[in-house]
Amino acid sequence: MIQELVGALVAAGAVGLVGLAAAARVIKQYERGVVFRFGRLLGSPRTPGFTVIVPGVDRMHKVNMQIVTLPIPAQEGITRDNVTVRVDAVVYFKVVDAANALIQVEDYRFAVSQMAQTSLRSIIGKSDLDDLLSNREKLNQGLELMIDSPAIGWGVQIDRVEIKDVSLPDTMKRSMARQAEADRERRARIINADAELQASKKLAEAAGVMSEQPAALQLRLLQTVVAVAAEKNSTLVLPFPVELLRFLERAAPPDGAQGPAEGRSSSAPTAEEAGAPTPSTAPKPLEEAASSSGGGAASAVGLPVEQLPAPEAAPVPEPTVVRPGPTSDGSPSTHP
């Protein structure tokens, strides 16, 4: 009798332990337990810790409340300025209402993923290429609002959305590179032109100072010579100022002012001033005529060309006319 009672107690204890093990649940800190009794929601979600449900009657689902990182596959679209791009992004969200996350939507992860892809394609079509490349903060905020609007009813809160990469065609990349290069070249030319303008103003001021003090130009020339000679070059190039040439030209005596000592008056033009050739450069026919004309020609050798005796004109023979009429002996007749 006693043995049967002990056996019954042991069996009851074993059944109790099995039932307790089946009814006991442990909820982690980052989880919430949603209990359904006969398919209906039982109260609010269970908090973290130890909890007990009725075995065979209650069913508990654990919902993760951590922030979920969901990558969005790359979406290809055409921007507002007709450029084909591929954009991928990432969504950070978390569940704020465990009951709605299980009741209002079948799979909240899949729903958020599809909504994010649709919103990303919509953002691509509404934006320009420059906005996708440089103004991503504004696009991230717009994308977050588009995803967060339907997700609120699912018990999901969108923490943030980030556009990761924007892929462009190779032709567009080359075009953008050429555009950037042309813009840099334009700015370089503007800077060079501005520098030339400032340098020209300074040079004009320096020229004004040197014009007041002519010795400053000579000092500047000597400084240039010293700077060139310091390089130990085999060839030394000296700049010759035009002002020095003008000074030498003014200091040289004129060719016509030679006085009466040379046997010519200052009023009478010489052969060189009149443009006639000198006796030394006279043509050879005139020199031969002067040597063959005797003593008078010999005295005319030292005279100018215009004073030489003109050569006598040779007699011109009269033309003869040949007429076709034959003579008595058969030869053509000739009449003067």
Side-chain angles (χ1 to χ4, degrees), residues 91-167:
V91 180
Y92 300 91
F93 70 93
K94 64 180 179 180
V95 177
V96 293
D97 191 345
N100 287 336
L102 292 176
I103 297 173
Q104 301 297 331
V105 63
E106 181 182 2
D107 187 352
Y108 64 90
R109 287 176 178 264
F110 181 74
V112 171
S113 175
Q114 295 299 315
M115 179 58 65
Q117 295 180 29
T118 305
S119 301
L120 182 58
R121 285 194 296 268
S122 178
I123 285 292
I124 293 174
K126 295 179 181 179
S127 305
D128 295 333
L129 179 61
D130 295 338
D131 295 335
L132 289 175
L133 297 177
S134 60
N135 196 12
R136 294 189 180 182
E137 292 296 332
K138 183 178 179 181
L139 297 180
N140 292 338
Q141 294 177 1
L143 189 59
E144 179 180 351
L145 290 176
M146 293 180 66
I147 302 175
D148 190 57
S149 297
I152 293 177
W154 304 338
V156 177
Q157 179 182 355
I158 305 298
D159 188 69
R160 63 185 305 168
V161 181
E162 294 288 341
I163 296 177
K164 293 195 300 182
D165 187 21
V166 178
S167 301

Side-chain angles (χ1 to χ4, degrees), residues 16-47:
L17 291 175
V18 172
L20 181 62
R25 296 287 187 275
V26 176
I27 302 175
K28 298 180 181 179
Q29 181 66 36
Y30 54 86
E31 294 177 342
R32 297 293 184 271
V34 180
V35 179
F36 292 93
R37 177 168 295 178
F38 295 110
R40 299 187 62 176
L41 179 64
L42 181 63
S44 61
R46 304 290 177 89
T47 58

Side-chain angles (χ1 to χ4, degrees), residues 319-336:
T320 60
V321 180
V322 179
R323 296 180 179 179
T327 59
S328 60
D329 56 357
S331 61
S333 62
T334 303
H335 299 278

Side-chain angles (χ1 to χ4, degrees), residues 51 57 61 80 100 114 165 185 203 222 246 284 295:
T51 185
V57 177
H61 297 273
R80 192 168 57 182
N100 287 336
Q114 295 299 315
D165 187 21
E185 185 177 356
L203 289 175
L222 295 177
R246 294 176 180 173
K284 290 184 179 182

Side-chain angles (χ1 to χ4, degrees), residues 196-211:
E196 292 292 338
L197 178 60
Q198 296 179 5
S200 62
K201 292 181 179 179
K202 296 298 181 181
L203 289 175
E205 295 177 3
V209 175
M210 288 184 179
S211 62

Side-chain angles (χ1 to χ4, degrees), residues 67-80:
I67 295 178
V68 180
T69 303
L70 182 65
I72 303 176
Q75 303 296 314
E76 184 173 357
I78 301 177
T79 60
R80 192 168 57 182

